[in-house]
Amino acid sequence: MEDSKRKRREIESKILEKVGEVVSAIAEAKYVDQVICALHSIAVQLFPVDSSRLLGCIDSGFRNQLLSGGISSPFERDDWWHVFYHEAAFPTLARVLIYNVALDWLACFPLSARTQVYDSFFVKGPPIEVVQAIIPALLKNGSNKDTDVNVICSNAERILVLCLLGNNGMLQMAREFGILYSSEEFTNKMLKPDMLVFISKIAQLIASIPDKARLEAPAALSSAQFFKQVIIQLLAAAEERSVEICNKGEALDQSVSDGTFLFVGETFSRICRRGFADILLAEVVPRILGHVRGCLSSNIDFINHNLFKSKTNFQFWFKMIETIKDSYAVERLSEQLLHQLATEHVTDIEAYWILWILFHRTARNQASIRSIFVDKGLLWKVFPVCCLKWILQFAVLDCPPGSDSLKKGQNTQGLRDIVQRLLGVWSTRQFVQSAAMEQQAYVTAAVGLSLEQMSKEELETTKDVMPLILQGVSCRLESPDPLVRRMASCIALVFSKVVDPKNPLYLDDNCREETINWEFGFNRQPKQISASSDRIEKADDEVKSFLSELNKGVSSVDDDRKNNNVKGRHQMFSELKLVDPDEIVDPATLNNEYSSDEEDRDDDDDASENSDSSLQPYDLSDDDADLRKKVSQLVDLVGALRKPDDPDTVERALDVAEKLVRASPDELQHLSGDLVRALLQVRCSDLTIEGEEDSAEGKRQRALVSLLVTCPFESVAAVNKLLYSPNVDISQRILMLDVMIDAAQELANATSNRPRHQQRNLISTSEQPWFLPQSKGPPGAGLWKEVSETGTSLSWSYRYERDLPLKPSQIKTGKSRRWSLRSEKMQVNQLEYSKNKFPLYAAAFMLPAMQGFDKKRHGVDLLGGDFIVLGKLIYMLGVCMKCVAMHPEAMALAPALLDMLSSRDVSHHVEAYVRRSVLFAASCILVALHPSFVASALVEGNAEISKGLEWIRTWALHVAESETDTECSMMAMTCLQLHAEMALQAS
């Protein structure tokens, strides 16, 4: 032992002396041949060098010096090599090679000389030492304008490509770590932590190479290509090492610590940390999937865990995730793995075995890894439904799946715990209000798929499952969003099938399929950049279509709820009809939806008339016609509507109400308030038969609209007085808001025509109108032509263009543009159309409705449980602003509406339905304000308008960046676009 140490010290002393001579010779050299000879003198002592290839590259005066270098024996050369690279000699010489020789002499080296006496110091050395010497040179790439720095970095990048990629340096490095970690030098447990730190340091250096490389670096050092080559070499080294360990009789499932595996795991962890887990999986998935498919095809009927454990080629894959110590990297890797498997369209059983092979040991032994699947994979992340099934099968059910569905194993306690945890989140009202729609659909699918695997006895023994399901279904049925209500219907259906399979509970006609589509219309395929659905609108739609879509979407919320209730009652009524299976049916009658009793009576009458009998039946159907009093006066109409015990009279009154009001009798102004109250208090469901409520509701709504249009001030005053009254319910409040919306739109679309007033030119008497651009300009310019605008529907200016002559430096003909407030196409003798009667009544519609919206009264809480009414109210105010667009009234009413919308309780409401209405109203304000009014307000210092418009911009930007609801974020983007257009026009 002492002799070997003494010999090593002697060799080290000789090598350091030789390195000193070489460095001095390089520093004093005046010719490149002197540098080559100096490097050759030490290279021949370390590795074989073909000196004959250098003779033709140098001057004849230096050939004797080149040949005089002593060539040592192979044994002596090996001793020199080990001491040179593992002591202080190589770092010293490498610094000179990288910074001095590369900068001053390397460009003059012949190719053979560079290969033999320069590159060989790095290529033939141990990669672990080489990367520690080379990679720090890349840190000097901060100043790319420095030529010297670029030369040094360029040479360092070339050497890295040559050593790590061209010479399989990563493979050699992984092998070397395996040898070092198992050598006698590191068998001491006190030295193991130091070795782990060293491995982590080298892995960090390797992973940082693409970040430190210059933009002009070789393409092989780009992140994607470099990491791909590194991964291929490391996987080959790991599989090679696992075979060696298995051949030695050691079991890899006994937590074997190996330097190769530790280095591979650390490097993979760094790669995943940098966001390239997909590149890693692109190499891993095909390899492991091929192994799994090979086993499945050969042993299709005898697949179990022991089969894969007995395979030698699976040993490293069992160990792979254990070698990655970073839990965040494992999380990214597992997430990308699920998406990759979904992209590959693997079967359920293939996906299960891949997850089991990679994660079963770490998921069993480490709580953080198990949490990635059972917590984040089910509650935080959003995957395709196929991935959700794989997570449930692997992490919850803990057994291989069946042929076409999930299969429950022995771990029923784990299933009950997961169901209880999922329901605890899914049933809360806060989750329904704040979570994104994709997240709600995903958690709902997780709850439904888990419930399908439970039995009635397991449900009864699981704590709080039934109350949580009831709570979650109830709060979703109250939502105005049809998709949220559909989620509640699906969970209720699954729960009813578990409790009583023979009596399923159908809350929605769309949930009657044999198997429930847990996608809920979302397409979460990983090939797409983001989730898409039919409910998401494009951000670059035109303003007119955007507003009309919102109009249609918000106003149909209550119609959907009402139609669902009516459809359900009509369905129950139709199910009571008995059908005779032996009845003879005429095919001609199959196209009819139903046949009434009156038609049957008519057929009987015709048959009796054609018979030979002389006894004709007496028709009694019109005997009480003279007893029915026709409603022809408004006083009679009010009285008839206030007879709830006489449904026939009320029905007749509703039939004539709209016509009487449209006739505008003299007493309408005095009776409008009473008539509004009477119509609102009518209960159409009490006076109509099943399935015909819609017709009566439509008659009542049309009558109320006609009242507000014909007698606006008195009628809208009565409506606003009842809007916050505790004596009306939510459906009546929504009806009032719907009526105000329809009336405002009808008043805004009212037209009248009259002969246009002939205007004369007051100043100029020239033939060209004053509002057209002047024809002055450069010679050769064309005539002015009016160009139609394709932007917003509310255009306040007209554009004119003409072609300009070519300049000497121009290739394409230019255009000159002018704007005018009038159009040349307007004809002098046309009729003048007077539109929009609504601005006169806009204040009466809007201001009383905005007063007291935030007050909590008996039975009225718009900021709380009555959020549907609040959303409808804000939507109505937005429609009113749209109806006064480009009128002075818009400038007067906008500050009050902006003050209401900017209230934190409104703009940051927990319900996405209210936030959508606020965005709609804000968009309507931007469209309604005339740009000239905005410019005047900003110049005159109108703080209300300027502050309100700035609030719209900042709030919409905040919503677009942080909103969880997809529709809200898309509407916020459109609102920002409208704000930018308004600012441009105002400027």
Side-chain angles (χ1 to χ4, degrees), residues 123-139:
V123 174
K124 297 181 180 181
I128 296 177
E129 303 298 333
V130 171
V131 295
Q132 293 182 82
I134 292 293
I135 294 178
L138 299 178
L139 292 176

Side-chain angles (χ1 to χ4, degrees), residues 370 374 392 395-398 408-422 450 453-455 457-463 465:
R370 177 170 176 78
V374 299
L392 289 173
V396 179
L397 301 178
D398 195 18
K408 184 168 63 174
Q410 302 297 326
N411 188 15
T412 58
Q413 182 60 40
L415 177 61
R416 290 198 294 267
D417 293 341
I418 289 298
V419 169
Q420 188 175 2
R421 189 182 307 175
L422 289 172
S450 301
Q453 302 304 312
M454 299 188 72
S455 62
E457 293 75 13
E458 292 172 344
L459 277 180
E460 293 174 348
T461 56
T462 306
K463 183 180 178 181
V465 168

Side-chain angles (χ1 to χ4, degrees), residues 14 18 41 72 75 104 115-116 120 122 179 248 277 339 355 666 771 799 810 817 831 856 864 924 927:
K14 293 180 181 179
K18 185 64 177 178
S41 65
S72 58
F75 297 104
D104 299 331
T115 304
Q116 294 289 323
S120 58
F122 303 102
I179 297 172
K248 293 178 181 179
H339 285 298
L355 291 175
D666 296 336
F771 55 84
R799 188 176 63 159
Q810 280 184 337
R817 296 181 177 85
L831 294 178
K856 188 175 181 180
C924 291
V927 174

Side-chain angles (χ1 to χ4, degrees), residues 533-765:
S533 67
D534 295 336
R535 304 173 61 255
I536 298 177
E537 300 175 351
K538 293 182 179 179
D540 56 352
D541 284 344
E542 297 182 358
V543 177
K544 184 176 180 181
S545 62
F546 166 73
L547 295 176
S548 63
E549 288 296 328
L550 292 178
N551 187 353
K552 188 184 304 180
V554 179
S555 62
S556 63
V557 168
D558 305 292
D559 295 335
D560 292 341
R561 173 178 292 184
K562 182 176 63 177
N563 292 337
N564 289 336
N565 295 335
V566 171
K567 189 182 298 181
R569 288 195 294 268
H570 180 65
Q571 181 182 359
M572 293 173 60
F573 178 76
S574 62
E575 288 177 354
L576 296 177
K577 296 181 180 181
L578 298 178
V579 180
D580 184 6
D582 297 329
E583 179 184 2
I584 298 176
V585 181
D586 184 6
T589 62
L590 293 177
N591 292 328
N592 299 329
E593 295 181 357
Y594 61 89
S595 59
S596 62
D597 295 338
E598 295 179 358
E599 293 174 350
D600 296 339
R601 286 197 296 269
D602 293 341
D603 294 340
D604 295 340
D605 294 341
D606 295 339
S608 60
E609 288 176 0
N610 296 330
S611 63
D612 297 335
S613 175
S614 60
L615 297 177
Q616 299 294 331
Y618 184 69
D619 187 8
L620 300 176
S621 60
D622 293 330
D623 280 356
D624 59 344
D626 55 342
L627 301 178
R628 296 182 181 180
K629 181 180 179 182
K630 294 183 178 180
V631 181
S632 59
Q633 299 294 329
L634 287 180
V635 178
D636 299 335
L637 180 62
V638 174
L641 291 173
R642 291 177 175 173
K643 293 181 178 180
D645 55 343
D646 189 0
D648 293 336
T649 302
V650 177
E651 188 176 0
R652 290 198 302 273
L654 289 176
D655 291 337
V656 300
E658 184 182 5
K659 293 181 180 180
L660 283 179
V661 173
R662 295 285 184 182
S664 188
D666 296 336
E667 66 272 17
L668 179 61
Q669 185 176 0
H670 306 286
L671 295 175
S672 58
D674 295 336
L675 191 53
V676 167
R677 286 186 289 272
L679 286 169
L680 287 174
Q681 292 170 0
V682 170
R683 296 290 182 180
C684 296
S685 58
D686 297 337
L687 56 96
T688 57
I689 64 174
E690 293 286 345
E692 296 185 3
E693 294 90 351
D694 289 346
S695 61
E697 290 283 355
K699 294 175 184 177
R700 177 172 68 160
Q701 184 165 342
R702 288 193 296 271
L704 286 168
V705 172
S706 63
L707 268 173
L708 267 69
V709 171
T710 309
C711 192
F713 285 119
E714 294 80 3
S715 301
V716 79
V719 170
N720 282 324
K721 189 175 181 180
L722 290 172
L723 186 60
Y724 297 114
S725 173
N727 300 321
V728 295
D729 57 17
I730 291 181
S731 63
Q732 290 172 313
R733 298 186 214 281
I734 293 176
L735 173 63
M736 286 185 270
L737 295 172
D738 285 335
V739 167
M740 294 173 73
I741 291 172
D742 295 340
Q745 291 175 340
E746 184 174 342
L747 286 170
N749 294 327
T751 59
S752 61
N753 49 15
R754 59 185 180 182
R756 180 189 175 117
H757 178 68
Q758 299 291 335
Q759 295 182 353
R760 299 179 179 272
N761 296 329
L762 300 180
I763 299 177
S764 176
T765 58

